[in-house]
Amino acid sequence: MNRDVSKAGIATQAVWAGEEGSLLQHATQVPIVQSVSFSYDDLDDWQAVALGQKPGHIYSRNTNPTVAALEEKVRVLEGAEAATSMASGMAAISNTILSLVRPGDRIVSVKDSYGGTNQLFREFLAQINVASCLCDTTDFAAIEAEIAKGCKLLYLETPTNPTLKVIDIERLAHKARQVGATVVTDNTFATPINQHPLQLGSDLVIHSATKYLGGHADALGGIVCGRKDLVHAIFHYREITGAALDPFAAYLLLRGLKTLALRIERQNASALEIAQFLEGHAAVAHVFYPGLASHPQHEIARKQMPGGFGGMLSFVLHGGYDQVKRFLPKLKYAHRAANLGAVETIVGPPATTSHVEVSAAHRAAMGIPEALVRYSAGIEDVGDLLADLAQALGSA
Ligand SMILES: *Cc1c(COP(=O)(O)O)cnc(C)c1O
């Protein structure tokens, strides 16, 4: 059947896209093709596939049918020309950046990028003489001024981790275009349900599929989608660095993706309700959530996140880190863990989660309070989550 899902709704795409070519013997589910290599009786055929002149697979470090189905599904969800996957989100980020820059190049980015990304900029890119200019995340005029000086890449992430700052992708991508820079956006927190960076002018969009795309905290993965020429260059680099996604992980991510729209709809609604509840609670000093009218970039978020404001929020407790240590163990319906975007609610302080790689002094310089709690709303009944927070805050 020719099932063209390009015009279908995003929930339909999440269920159907990418699967058709991989179904075997009338199966309704994509198989896990747990095979390293693929065999050819005809040497001319083998060579044509190896040279990319014929569709097919040769060796699973390069391509694999289960992995290809996942790539196609996410490509459709992001409305991209092409997609390639990686063993983790950080593999996607590092392979993307390293394949696109050369010694002497300059990257413009923001201070609030994911901890591992920040470390890549400051440690490993510096080692190969790639300069990273990390600007104040929401000072868009200053970021524009740095872009105007010339850069190879503009690297964005929005909303940011863990203080949920929102970056105006369209405005900065427009500026980047004027200097010929490639724009890369980490869309992990927003997901393709809430935000489409490619439509806002980004050339590439990256996900840690480990988080919302998979949604069940049982598989690592990363994916990069966007312009065909760029994705091809990244794929070529990844073939050699070897950061390939495992077929079993690809299967788990495909399975999780089918419920993406349902999960995100629930998590958007719950996070908003929880943020509003916490904003009115006496034990809470501040709440960071782009859906709150009090959020400094709320208007930008409304414009660029038409699907919703996401399932992530964070808040500062009165009483410092000691209070966080008393509060977190009291939550019944939350894993205290270094992850986010799963069906279960997950909580943690940045010191042990997103920013464990950076020093306390550096966290302070980044404006990340030690009494901050990062909260990834799960798909539980929101009434249970609210009651749980109320009891834990009340007795903390
Ligand atoms: C988790 C995360 C990453 C890294 O992903 P891994 O799959 O853990 O390597 C990158 N960016 C953001 C925003 C993340 O939350």
Side-chain angles (χ1 to χ4, degrees), residues 135-146:
C135 306
D136 277 342
T137 303
T138 57
D139 188 346
F140 305 138
I143 300 172
E144 283 179 327
E146 290 298 338

Side-chain angles (χ1 to χ4, degrees), residues 111-112 135-136 165 358-370:
K111 288 187 177 150
D112 289 76
C135 306
D136 277 342
K165 290 175 185 153
V358 303
S359 66
H362 194 75
R363 281 194 297 274
M366 291 171 82
I368 299 170
E370 291 296 292

